[in-house]
Amino acid sequence: MKSLILIMISGALINNVVLNQFLGICSFLGVSKQMKASASLGGAVIFVMTIASAVASLLYNYVLAPFGLDFMKTIVFILVIAALVQIVEMFLKKKSPAVYQALGIYLPLITTNCAVLGIALTNVQNEYNFIQSVLAGFGTAVGFTLAIVLLAGIRSRIHEEDLPRPVRGAPIVLISAALMSIAFMGFSGLSF
Amino acid sequence: MNTILITTIVITVIGIIVGAGLVFTGKKFFVPVDEREAAVRECLPGNNCGACGYAGCDAMAAAIVSGEAPVNGCPVGGAPVAAKIGGIMGTDAEALERKVAFVRCKGTCEACRQQGNYVGINDCRSAALAGINLKDCDYGCMGLGSCVTVCPQHAIRLVDGVAVVNPNLCVACGLCVKTCPKGLIELVPESKHVRVQCMNRDKGPLVKKVCSAGCIGCSLCTRQCAFDAIHMDGSLAKVTYENCTQCGKCAEKCPAHVITLPCPVPAAAAEKPEEATEA
């Protein structure tokens, strides 16, 4: 039990997917202009990453590993995750339009997010079992959401500031993200 | 060899299962989209200009089908599109008069004296913000062409220091109306050619001093009109387009020739369409 909680906290804070592993930077910088949009994206990422981790774990443990097809995992994971998100999207559209509206365009957008694939591969590398993979995926996605919502908050404040001309726009966002990353490095000493 | 074979088989099987799964869910969870929405979307121009007030043509189509927006809500498509959409929606498109932008100023370089040379940002809004008037008239066209820059249809150009709209190219998106710092541009019904081409609200002598083509508020036009279609708004004449029959009597009598006659397209603007097709 303790190790499961540790996996989640480690995924969310200590090995934060964006700020420590530098995966999913594109959406992290691209969709963090508004708090609301970034929160929706975060929700969609939590949803997709948890499911993708679960399916990838099952697929690896029961199909790829027994056949000795370890080297094909990247391709198979991409294929399956993309199809899975598509299916989930259709399902939501029919059964739960409210959720579909809330996640909106972000659901298909993160199908190709490297963070989603990255976590599926990291789970395999760490030799996690099914439950551990699901929790690691969930924890990591929560970490992504935390990071992107924090950055959106910072950016909305920066937006109102009178900045020196050279750092306006993209530069100040990258500087903020870098400072956040350094701050998150502080978690690396965390132990239980 | 064996590895390649196994890999191929396994990946193919996974691919087939995934594909079948997609087809199955696609059938099973098919959400019937309102047919009318797709049909309405087909009729709309599809340039996603946002002039209707919605995010794009898709959003507009959804709004029309849900009854949120009127069938004639697309200012770009105008009456033909409205009629088509009305046919799909089963409602009569209220005959929507096509509107065009119209610049209410006649103060050309000749009519209205320039106030020295302006050297600065070449934009009416910037100049207006700095409190600069380029011409003697406080109300008139500044002639720096902010509306020209902002017009997505390239329908406006500066003729002799005054912006002129080519009604053939104008789609009545209203961008120039919002842009003009003097509030000179308005959307008027295209077929109504009798328009007052001045916005100066000062009294007659003051207007005469600054511009030879300004409305001096003599109210001669109101006395000519038999249809109650032209009134004085302070010392500025104003046409009520619903009543106007375009007899042109007011325009004939106007001492300043500030009311346009039923054929107002200046030669310079009329030749524009050819250029536009080239571009």
Side-chain angles (χ1 to χ4, degrees):
Chain A
M1 190 61 206
K2 196 179 160 195
S3 76
L4 293 182
I5 294 173
L6 204 62
I7 285 175
M8 273 178 63
I9 292 180
S10 151
L13 299 176
I14 302 165
N15 289 321
N16 189 289
V17 66
V18 193
L19 299 170
N20 272 23
Q21 301 183 54
F22 311 118
L23 289 171
I25 300 280
C26 43
S27 48
F28 177 63
L29 296 177
V31 195
S32 57
K33 258 193 193 133
Q34 290 163 349
M35 189 72 94
K36 194 165 172 272
S38 57
S40 312
L41 178 75
V45 167
I46 291 178
F47 191 73
V48 170
M49 225 180 238
T50 311
I51 296 176
S53 300
V55 173
S57 166
L58 286 178
L59 200 67
Y60 183 78
N61 288 336
Y62 296 106
V63 180
L64 294 183
F67 281 106
L69 296 177
D70 196 51
F71 57 91
M72 286 305 285
K73 59 179 186 282
T74 309
I75 290 177
V76 173
F77 285 176
I78 292 175
L79 177 76
V80 171
I81 290 170
L84 180 81
V85 174
Q86 198 69 46
I87 289 172
V88 167
E89 196 195 344
M90 288 183 210
F91 180 79
L92 283 182
K93 201 172 181 181
K94 175 87 175 181
K95 294 287 174 191
S96 162
V99 177
Y100 180 76
Q101 284 287 330
L103 300 183
I105 51 164
Y106 301 114
L107 212 47
L109 203 70
I110 50 181
T111 311
T112 49
N113 191 320
C114 52
V116 177
L117 178 67
I119 293 319
L121 292 172
T122 320
N123 288 344
V124 169
Q125 252 169 29
N126 291 341
E127 295 177 352
Y128 283 162
N129 64 28
F130 178 69
I131 294 177
Q132 284 172 326
S133 297
V134 173
L135 287 180
F138 179 75
T140 308
V142 169
F144 178 89
T145 311
L146 184 69
I148 197 171
V149 168
L150 283 177
L151 183 69
I154 293 173
R155 279 181 79 168
S156 63
R157 292 239 175 153
I158 285 176
H159 190 68
E160 290 155 11
E161 294 297 324
D162 187 23
L163 295 170
R165 191 166 279 252
V167 298
R168 274 182 209 169
I172 193 67
V173 177
L174 290 172
I175 292 170
S176 314
L179 289 174
M180 278 176 73
S181 176
I182 293 172
F184 265 72
M185 291 288 176
F187 284 119
S188 60
L190 202 67
S191 65
F192 289 88
Chain B
M1 189 60 204
N2 203 14
T3 320
I4 295 177
L5 205 66
I6 292 176
T7 313
T8 318
I9 292 170
V10 170
I11 302 296
T12 315
V13 169
I14 290 175
I16 289 173
I17 292 172
V18 165
L22 273 178
V23 171
F24 177 72
T25 34
K27 284 257 165 69
K28 175 109 195 210
F29 296 109
F30 176 71
V31 180
V33 184
D34 200 329
E35 274 175 31
R36 294 179 302 174
E37 195 175 318
V40 168
R41 176 66 189 78
E42 282 289 302
C43 295
L44 292 170
N47 48 355
N48 293 319
C49 64
C52 54
Y54 289 91
C57 290
D58 284 328
M60 180 61 176
I64 290 177
V65 173
S66 65
E68 209 177 291
V71 290
N72 56 14
C74 178
V76 178
V81 166
K84 257 197 254 170
I85 296 175
I88 295 164
M89 294 297 295
T91 47
D92 277 335
E94 309 100 71
L96 176 79
E97 166 83 75
R98 194 174 99 95
K99 289 193 166 187
V100 289
F102 176 66
V103 183
R104 291 185 66 179
C105 181
K106 246 189 146 179
T108 53
C109 300
E110 213 174 74
C112 189
R113 206 162 49 89
Q114 295 277 127
Q115 278 189 343
N117 272 336
Y118 169 74
V119 183
I121 303 172
N122 211 16
D123 189 289
C124 306
R125 288 164 293 187
S126 310
L129 215 57
I132 297 167
N133 263 321
L134 278 85
K135 288 172 183 161
D136 279 350
C137 176
D138 285 345
Y139 298 87
C141 178
M142 305 177 82
L144 292 179
S146 285
C147 50
V148 178
T149 330
V150 87
C151 181
Q153 302 290 326
H154 308 289
I156 310 179
R157 63 177 183 172
L158 292 171
V159 179
D160 208 9
V162 172
V164 177
V165 179
N166 179 352
N168 299 330
L169 291 180
C170 180
V171 294
C173 66
L175 278 176
C176 52
V177 179
K178 279 182 220 149
T179 304
C180 182
K182 300 281 183 185
L184 276 179
I185 310 180
E186 60 176 14
L187 296 177
V188 297
E190 191 198 15
S191 62
K192 301 292 183 185
H193 290 303
V194 177
R195 304 160 188 166
V196 179
Q197 207 170 5
C198 183
M199 278 294 263
N200 196 322
R201 295 178 176 280
D202 286 342
K203 295 261 183 292
L206 279 173
V207 178
K208 252 189 174 157
K209 217 167 161 187
V210 295
C211 181
S212 64
C215 175
I216 52 173
C218 63
S219 77
L220 260 177
C221 48
T222 57
R223 270 171 267 158
Q224 295 301 318
C225 188
F227 305 98
D228 197 30
I230 192 159
H231 296 278
M232 298 309 293
D233 177 15
S235 60
L236 184 64
K238 205 174 174 213
V239 179
T240 312
Y241 294 112
E242 294 86 55
N243 296 347
C244 179
T245 58
Q246 313 200 57
C247 61
K249 274 188 187 147
C250 50
E252 276 165 33
K253 277 285 173 193
C254 181
H257 305 293
V258 76
I259 304 177
T260 53
L261 278 168
C263 186
V265 187
E271 56 190 50
K272 190 71 205 268
E274 290 157 35
E275 255 176 64
T277 45
E278 273 166 42

